[in-house]
Amino acid sequence: MSWIEETNPGPEAGWYFNTSTGEVEHGRHSRAVDLLGPYPDEETARRAWENAHERTAAADRADADWNGEG
């Protein structure tokens, strides 16, 4: 491994959640448009889709409250 790889592993390092397949990948093997991540570990990547949905729902509720719809 070169010094550059040790100090800057690049976007391929880490774990990704593939929104198209529902699978977790170690390293970036699929199209970037289908991936969430990178995450530091497999478990965090596995929860990524659920976390994204929870955050979207929370943002939708905050928007509704802001607009007086809540």
Side-chain angles (χ1 to χ4, degrees):
M1 181 178 293
S2 74
W3 176 81
I4 292 173
E5 291 171 322
E6 289 177 19
T7 58
N8 184 12
E12 287 76 28
W15 294 86
Y16 295 82
F17 181 83
N18 186 315
T19 61
S20 186
T21 66
E23 299 292 322
V24 171
E25 302 177 5
H26 187 238
R28 189 165 63 185
H29 302 285
S30 300
R31 300 177 327 149
V33 70
D34 293 329
L35 299 177
L36 298 177
Y39 297 98
D41 55 62
E42 183 178 4
E43 184 59 31
T44 304
R46 196 164 301 285
R47 292 190 318 259
W49 197 234
E50 180 181 338
N51 288 342
H53 283 282
E54 289 172 1
R55 290 178 182 153
T56 298
D60 289 346
R61 286 190 301 274
D63 285 345
D65 289 345
W66 177 264
N67 292 322
E69 301 166 2

